[in-house]
Structures are given as structure tokens and as C-alpha cells.
Amino acid sequence: MRVGLFIPCYVDQFYPNAAIATLQLLEKFGVDVVFPKKQTCCGQPMANSGFSHLSSECDELFVENFSEFDYIVCPSGSCVLHIKDHLHSAKSPDKAKAIRKKVFELVEFLTDILEIKELKAKFPFKVGIHQSCHGQRGLKLSQMSELVAPKFSKPETLLKMVDGLELINLTRVDECCGFGGTFCVAEEAVSSKMGKDRVADHIQNGAEYITGADLSCLMHMEGILKRQKSNVKVIHIAEILNADPNP
Amino acid sequence: MIKETSNKSKGKSPSGDSGADHATLSDIFNQDEPRVNWHDETLWFVRTKRDKAVNTIPEWELLRETASQIKHNVLSNLSAYLEQFEEKAIANGVQVHWAADAKEHNEIVHSILKKHSINRMVKSKSMLTEECHLNDYLSKNGVEVIDTDLGERIVQLADEPPSHIVLPCIHKKKEEIGDLFHIHLGTAAGEADPQVLTEAARQDLRSAFLTRRAALTGVNFAVAETGEIVVCTNEGNADMGVHLADVHIASMGIEKIIPERKHLGFFLRLLTRSATGQPITTYSSHFKKPRPGQEMHIILVDNGRSRQLGREDFRNSLKCIRCGACMNTCPVYRRSGGHSYHYAISGPIGAILAPNLDMKKYADLPFASTLCGSCSNVCPVKIDIHDQLYKWRQVLVKEGHVSPVKAAGMKGMAWMFSFPALFNIAGKSGRWFMKYFPFMVSNKLNPWYKEREMPAPPKESFREWYARREKNNRK
Ligand code: SF4
């Protein structure tokens, strides 16, 4: 199985450890992973700001970079959702269509494609899960609190395989953190307030780490935590799943 | 007097005429953080009540789907249903009027009142008349309107628009309501007991009910099969007004139609559970024909609805039954308040309805969202609200309603992302990201930096690490 590793621009630049953990984790499960070096961005920041008509060249590039793989895996739910919903190509429409079907966020790739049942990792801390909206409501990584439907959570399933890890419960299980792409600057007041409230829920319920499958949300909450000089840290779920089993 | 809050958000609220956009108005709202917390908790409590209520109905999701499909049928056959409704209503002895826009609607109401030489009227809750600014119009023409829904009466006394379609005065604390009642209804200074205040309003409204000869109501559902209308209230104020008046005027948007009586049950089961967590409104009143000696009028109002029906991406917004659930669940609404939307209908649904009426004036609203999608999940008629917000953004940008600075920045970003080599060089020479993602620059003028730290740039990017690993592997 050949997998193309899609690392969103800001993850590449600011959170290389999450990307490294993603790569190593996939390799641990015997996957042949390639990082196409010409990749740039999925075009989401532009599209969500109303400029989807400008992202066509981004789209073409994405198709060029990734169409050769069996699967495309990415440690960011919102970028995956964007590709799934909005990738189009005038040059190779069939390839774009195929990519929309074979792009996966890391967590769902592990649970649904690799169907992993156990992990060797140890992380002896209290951890809160941040359900990022695009991962949860868009990719359905977890059941949504609004619906009358059976509960499930793919990230939780994986984290429960980690030795020593204690999951905390949140008061509001799936409230948005307020990042929202350019929303975080265009609507600074509400965005910051949402971030503060989200972080407070984790802290009040005893989290030492906040984890999730989307670094954009984690980056937002990290910004708030650092400003508050909090000891609580954010960590991408790949880094927990890839943690040393014998620290 | 009000003690526990500062008064930044009090007084005549921005109704949109100030020209300030959602971000600016939210910024003002957020200057009083304890008040934001209170507002957020109050509405979250309503959302929680909704969750409890809907979880007692195992077939809830099927109900939503069915209601959505019924409305789909209505929207696809709207003209036929409207004509059927009109015919039945006329046969029932009702006078039916058609209004193309707000102005025509207001003029029709006024002409009916004039015909009867009426200059004082009671009105039960109607978001449509808010949308049409009926009160303003009538008061300019010498007609006094008293809103009889308690929440609406409160905002009317405060000279503010409602901040929520179901809970019009949810932004007001009970102490502030006590102050208003002290001034307008003569309650004791400092009295803030809800029961005492409600009783005062009741007494005051009672005399209005007894003396007004005309009553206007909204319409929740209009049944094409029978020509009857259904009005849902918790206070019985619509019934009180109509039964005591010589003239009943019912104003409805043309999308309020349902085909048959048997469909009503779906909507009544959904409406209040979604709105407040109650199983049903206290009063679900059917008005079919005028009682002997009474006149009954129904005004069918378009006001942009046909145009929205013609916009394929946005027509589903006309399925809305005005339950307010999307507001209660919206993390932005809860922290910005209804007035920040500067339109009669606030929250996520307002943000997809308003640009239909005036793209330029309401261009900011579809951007007042993180697109988290919670609204679409609670919506009892399954409107794809957050997808429509996304689609409105594309339309508004193409129509040129977004600032040129932002447009230029986006073009630069798009251009760079399409050249991998440039992207790599930019990555090496410092963090290109800081340059092209405006929120990443660490200075005081940057809105990100106001309450959030920047991520610390690591020693090497992932692609640098990956290149190094490849080189080592080759050795
Ligand atoms: S859009 Fe849906 S949730 Fe919002 S008010 Fe209308 S019916 Fe209720």
C-alpha cells in the first residue's frame, strides 16, 4: 500500500513533530509512505474566505502531486474535508474525483482502513480531546452532540489503546474553539473568547494535555494557553499514538 | 438600578443603521466579559433543554427528515399551494391580500386600519412585521402598536429590536427589565422579581386587549388544504388579542404553507422541542374564519422570498420554521448577541436570509461564523445552514462586496501556493507563513496577538527534516 503524506502548510512550518509522528506511525504499521515535495496548500484558507475561484491552481497542483497514490493521509481534519468537498480539476476531473474518495484524515485512516486494534504507546497523563468541527461534523470522526444517534468517537477508540492515558470528560463535549481560519482575525473578539472558553473547559476538568486531530484548533488553543501562562499543553493525537512505549 | 453590569451594551441598540459590521458590534459586546459569559450560559442552557427534549424521541432524526421533505415539496409547488390556500381562505370568509414587499405589506395593514378608523392596535409575535419595520411605519402614520408578547413588549419599551426570534429580550437581565417597568409601568424601583414584573405586564396588557379593536398576529403554519392558519404562542396573547378585536390581520411570509392538516403534527412536534425544549407550545391556535361580525385578513408577503426561491443554493433557507435553535447552539451568536447581526433575524439563519435582501449591507454576516456546523445539526427542517454560509461567501466575493485589501492578500497567497519552488525558498528564508498568513505576525496591531501567543517556529520545518532523512538514508 502506497500512501502519499499530505502535510498542510502550517503543520510543515510550525508543527513538524506532528508530521514526523504521523509518518513514523504509518511506517510502524507497515505502510509505504511518500511525502511529495512539491505540495503546498489545499486552498482552504482562500476558499473559506470566499475566494474559492482563486484556488484552481492550488487544486491542479494537488492533483499532480497526489493522484499516483493508493491513499492520501493527512494529520488535519479540516484540510481533508476541504479536499473531499471541494477539490476540482479542469485538466483531470477524474483524477480529482478519485482523490476526493481516497483522501483520509489520520485517525479515520487508522481506524477504518488499517483497522488497528492495538498500539504500543505510553502516555501517562490526563488528556482532553478537542473535537474539531470539521473533523467531527464534517468527517464524522465522532458522533455529534446535536443528533439523536448512537455515540462513538474514533479518536477516543485510539487513545484508549494508549498505556497510562486518562481521558477527562468535558462539560461541553464538542463546542467550537473559534479558530475558523481568517475568522480568528476578522472576528478577533468572538474568536478569542471562544478559544478562552474552550480552554477553560479542559482546565476545569483537569486536563494536562489537550489533543485532537486538527492542528489549526490546537494552534489556536495553544496561543491562548501560552498567553495565560498555563502549564496545560496541546499535542497532536499522532504524537500521543506514536509515543515511546517505554519512556 | 442595575448594579452588576457595566452599561456598554445598554441603551438604544445598534439596529443596523449605525453602519457598523458584525465584528465591530461583537467587539463592543465583548468589552463586558462577565456579561458575555452570562449570555452564553443562558443560551447554552436553552440548547441543553433542547437536547434533553429531543433525546426522548427515538425517531427524532426521521421527524426532521420528514419535515424537511414536506417543506421541499412545498417549495417546489409553492405557487399552486398558495393559490389553493387563497381559494380556501376566501371561501372561509377571509380577505386575502398579496404584498410584494415590506412597503406594500405595511400599506395594506394601514389601509385596513384606516377603513375602520382604528389608530391603536395590539400585535402578537411576528418576525415578519419586524422584517418589514411595521411598528415604525405605523407610528409615523399615527397608529400606536402594542406588542403583547412579553419579551417583545420589553424590547418595545426599551426601544430596541428583538435580539432573538423566539426569545426577543434574552439579552436583558431581569434587573434591567425591572428598571424599564419602573419607568413605563410604575413598578417599585429596584423590583426585579420575574413574577412581580410579569404580573405588572399582564395587568397593563389586559387593558390594551380590552380596548383595542384590531389585532395583528403572525402565522406559524398555513394549511393549503383548509385555508386555516396556525399561531403558536406560550402566553395565549394571540388568542386574547384576536378574540377581543373586531379586526384580525394575520401577516405571513409565503413560505409558511404546509400542504395538509395531517402534516401539522410533524412541525408542532419539532418546533418547540427545538426552540425551548418544551414538548409543544402552550397554545397552538387554529384560525379559520372570522366570528360573526368580525373581519379577518391574511396578508401573504413575498419581500424577497421568490428571489431566494430562485437561488438554487439558498432556497432551502425558506424551509425555516423560526424555532431559533440555530441561534441557541451557535457559539458565535452566544458570544456576540443578537444585535450584532444588525438584521431583524439574527444568528446563522439571519446571516443567510439577510444578504438576499441587501448584499452590500449584509455582506459581513456570512463571515460571522466559524462554519462549525452545529446549526445545521440542530435545525428541525435540516437546512444546510453552514454550507449556505460558505456559498454566500463565494457569491459576495465575486460580486465585489469584500474589501480590496483582503482580495489582494488572497490573490498573493493563491499565486504563491501554485508555485512549489517559490514556496520552498520562502520556507527557507524565514517562515514564509508569517508573511502570508496575516494573523501570524506578532505585533500589537495584529488581532491574533491581542489575546493569543504565536506558535514558536521550530528549528526545522517538516520538509527540511524529511530531506535530511532522505539524504541520511542514501548514505
Ligand atoms: S434555520 Fe432551522 S434551526 Fe434556525 S430558526 Fe430556522 S428552523 Fe430553526
Side-chain angles (χ1 to χ4, degrees):
Chain A
M1 182 193 292
R2 280 189 87 232
V3 163
L5 183 61
F6 165 35
I7 298 299
C9 39
Y10 69 97
V11 178
D12 171 43
Q13 294 282 310
F14 289 117
Y15 297 98
N17 289 341
I20 295 168
T22 304
L23 175 77
Q24 291 176 341
L25 195 58
L26 290 170
E27 286 177 345
K28 269 188 202 169
F29 289 106
V31 178
D32 178 13
V33 190
V34 178
F35 173 74
K37 270 175 267 168
K38 285 183 178 163
Q39 61 180 290
T40 56
C41 170
C42 65
Q44 179 180 221
M46 288 161 277
N48 278 359
S49 307
F51 293 79
S52 63
H53 59 290
L54 294 180
S55 67
S56 60
E57 287 182 54
C58 264
D59 280 15
E60 296 294 352
L61 189 65
F62 195 93
V63 173
E64 245 170 64
N65 279 319
F66 286 103
S67 54
E68 63 171 294
F69 297 102
D70 300 322
Y71 293 100
I72 298 132
V73 176
C74 166
S76 164
S78 66
C79 302
V80 171
L81 182 67
H82 179 76
I83 295 292
K84 262 194 201 306
D85 285 353
H86 301 293
L87 184 78
H88 291 285
S89 162
K91 277 189 218 149
S92 1
D94 291 345
K95 284 183 180 172
K97 200 172 153 201
I99 288 181
R100 292 205 300 271
K101 293 219 174 73
K102 61 187 184 181
V103 61
F104 285 84
E105 181 282 326
L106 175 67
V107 167
E108 57 177 356
F109 187 74
L110 295 174
T111 57
D112 300 1
I113 304 297
L114 298 184
E115 297 184 19
I116 68 160
K117 299 281 179 272
E118 57 177 345
L119 264 175
K120 288 198 177 49
K122 186 168 181 175
F123 197 73
F125 299 100
K126 288 186 175 174
V127 176
I129 303 181
H130 175 71
Q131 305 284 3
S132 70
C133 304
H134 289 168
Q136 188 202 21
R137 298 197 181 86
L139 298 174
K140 314 228 170 353
L141 296 184
S142 307
Q143 189 53 275
M144 300 158 268
S145 65
E146 299 90 0
L147 300 187
V148 178
K151 305 269 172 273
F152 68 87
S153 166
K154 294 177 188 178
E156 200 176 303
T157 308
L158 292 175
L159 289 172
K160 281 188 172 151
M161 297 175 193
V162 176
D163 202 17
L165 185 144
E166 188 187 331
L167 280 173
I168 59 135
N169 292 317
L170 293 171
T171 310
R172 298 186 189 178
V173 290
D174 52 10
E175 177 114 311
C176 175
C177 76
F179 174 68
T182 46
F183 180 86
C184 74
V185 282
E187 289 264 359
E188 183 276 327
V190 178
S191 171
S192 298
K193 180 61 181 147
M194 285 168 72
K196 287 197 281 185
D197 290 355
R198 197 78 297 259
V199 160
D201 195 351
H202 286 271
I203 296 176
Q204 277 154 19
N205 286 291
E208 295 166 278
Y209 282 89
I210 303 175
T211 193
D214 207 318
L215 269 161
S216 54
C217 310
L218 295 178
M219 172 171 75
H220 187 219
M221 290 187 285
E222 181 181 52
I224 304 249
L225 288 165
K226 278 192 182 162
R227 177 60 58 90
Q228 295 176 348
K229 307 214 179 330
S230 168
N231 293 326
V232 176
K233 294 185 189 66
V234 301
I235 184 167
H236 189 270
I237 191 165
E239 293 174 75
I240 296 183
L241 302 178
N242 190 47
D244 188 349
N246 309 300
Chain B
M1 293 305 292
I2 307 150
K3 289 209 182 76
E4 63 193 80
T5 58
S6 82
N7 277 357
K8 272 172 194 131
S9 50
K10 216 191 147 247
K12 173 89 182 170
S13 280
S15 60
D17 304 329
S18 67
D21 65 359
H22 183 272
T24 310
L25 297 170
S26 312
D27 196 30
I28 296 167
F29 191 74
N30 273 271
Q31 281 163 18
D32 186 352
E33 194 169 353
R35 192 182 182 92
V36 178
N37 292 339
W38 165 80
H39 191 263
D40 168 62
E41 288 289 347
T42 308
L43 286 150
W44 181 256
F45 178 66
V46 185
R47 154 81 203 267
T48 324
K49 286 210 298 188
R50 174 250 172 226
D51 289 354
K52 277 206 191 97
V54 305
N55 276 293
T56 63
I57 312 281
E59 71 275 24
W60 181 255
E61 300 304 332
L62 181 62
L63 261 184
R64 288 175 70 218
E65 181 58 31
T66 311
S68 185
Q69 293 298 334
I70 295 171
K71 283 283 183 178
H72 186 76
N73 172 289
V74 169
L75 295 178
S76 310
N77 302 285
L78 191 55
S79 61
Y81 283 128
L82 281 167
E83 281 169 20
Q84 186 191 2
F85 174 79
E86 180 189 34
E87 192 191 309
K88 298 286 172 183
I90 291 172
N92 294 337
V94 177
Q95 300 182 36
V96 178
H97 311 257
W98 298 82
D101 55 23
K103 186 168 166 278
E104 265 187 42
H105 165 263
N106 295 347
E107 286 165 1
I108 292 168
V109 174
H110 189 214
S111 72
I112 298 168
L113 297 173
K114 249 198 341 224
K115 195 178 86 189
H116 293 272
S117 315
I118 293 173
N119 61 4
R120 302 190 304 173
M121 173 177 85
V122 285
K123 173 161 87 63
S124 73
K125 199 142 146 286
S126 152
M127 287 316 297
L128 177 63
T129 58
E130 292 293 338
E131 180 187 318
C132 296
H133 300 291
L134 176 70
N135 285 15
D136 274 358
Y137 174 86
L138 288 180
S139 87
K140 279 191 195 115
N141 285 283
V143 179
E144 176 221 60
V145 181
I146 291 196
D147 281 313
T148 59
D149 170 90
L150 180 58
E152 289 232 293
R153 182 70 183 139
I154 291 166
V155 290
Q156 188 181 32
L157 291 175
D159 196 16
E160 288 176 13
S163 67
H164 187 290
I165 58 177
V166 172
L167 313 159
C169 70
I170 195 71
H171 61 291
K172 287 221 169 299
K173 295 193 170 188
K174 56 183 197 286
E175 291 78 11
E176 294 163 344
I177 297 167
D179 272 3
L180 272 173
F181 280 22
H182 173 60
I183 297 167
H184 295 279
L185 305 181
T187 52
E191 180 61 69
D193 177 18
Q195 211 172 335
V196 175
L197 297 178
T198 307
E199 186 55 28
R202 253 174 108 93
Q203 293 307 330
D204 184 59
L205 286 172
R206 198 134 302 211
S207 69
F209 283 130
L210 288 169
T211 50
R212 300 319 189 250
R213 288 165 47 223
L216 190 144
T217 67
V219 171
N220 290 88
F221 306 100
V223 185
E225 176 194 27
T226 60
E228 79 205 86
I229 57 164
V230 181
V231 182
C232 304
T233 73
N234 274 333
E235 296 160 26
N237 54 313
D239 308 76
M240 190 85 91
V242 171
H243 295 322
L244 289 166
D246 304 333
V247 182
H248 173 196
I249 305 170
S251 297
M252 61 176 271
I254 52 173
E255 82 283 17
K256 294 289 168 201
I257 293 277
I258 57 170
E260 296 174 37
R261 245 192 183 175
K262 70 174 183 207
H263 297 133
L264 188 63
F266 294 100
F267 294 97
L268 290 183
R269 291 182 76 194
L270 287 162
L271 177 63
T272 330
R273 285 190 174 89
S274 300
T276 58
Q278 290 166 264
I280 193 163
T281 38
T282 318
Y283 300 86
S284 306
S285 310
H286 297 235
F287 298 96
K288 192 170 175 185
K289 53 178 142 198
R291 62 162 199 276
Q294 191 190 37
E295 242 180 52
M296 182 172 168
H297 299 261
I298 295 176
I299 311 175
L300 296 159
V301 185
D302 187 322
N303 203 33
R305 285 162 177 76
S306 300
R307 191 172 9 158
Q308 189 85 324
L309 191 64
R311 301 186 203 268
E312 212 192 318
D313 283 343
F314 305 113
R315 69 189 304 234
N316 272 345
S317 62
L318 295 173
K319 291 180 177 177
C320 176
I321 57 171
R322 303 287 191 265
C323 73
C326 56
M327 300 168 190
N328 306 336
T329 203
C330 178
V332 176
Y333 175 91
R334 279 187 262 113
R335 293 175 183 83
S336 67
H339 290 152
S340 65
Y341 294 82
H342 58 93
Y343 176 60
I345 298 167
S346 53
I349 179 66
I352 56 180
L353 293 175
N356 174 51
L357 290 177
D358 187 339
M359 280 200 211
K360 188 160 177 264
K361 187 171 174 189
Y362 301 116
D364 56 323
L365 294 183
F367 294 90
S369 162
T370 61
L371 305 179
C372 81
S374 187
C375 47
S376 306
N377 276 344
V378 294
C379 178
V381 286
K382 295 181 84 166
I383 300 171
D384 50 341
I385 308 173
H386 72 292
D387 287 334
Q388 293 194 30
L389 289 167
Y390 174 88
K391 288 173 183 161
W392 263 123
R393 292 179 186 187
Q394 316 305 321
V395 173
L396 291 165
V397 165
K398 280 207 184 125
E399 301 277 331
H401 296 299
V402 165
S403 84
V405 180
K406 195 166 181 181
M410 284 292 164
K411 277 188 191 139
M413 207 157 99
W415 178 78
M416 192 186 62
F417 282 141
S418 59
F419 294 101
L422 183 75
F423 180 94
N424 280 335
I425 294 163
K428 283 214 187 74
S429 60
R431 301 280 157 222
W432 61 266
F433 197 89
M434 298 269 196
K435 280 192 225 134
Y436 286 92
F437 280 63
F439 56 83
M440 285 294 136
V441 189
S442 149
N443 75 45
K444 289 260 156 59
L445 294 174
N446 174 4
W448 172 280
Y449 197 62
K450 211 171 143 199
E451 300 212 49
R452 297 161 286 206
E453 294 294 325
M454 298 297 149
K459 276 191 218 74
E460 58 182 359
S461 68
F462 174 72
R463 58 179 74 224
E464 286 160 349
W465 175 89
Y466 189 81
R468 197 158 51 80
R469 186 176 91 146
E470 269 191 329
K471 219 163 109 192
N472 290 343
N473 285 353
R474 251 179 266 130
K475 270 183 205 161

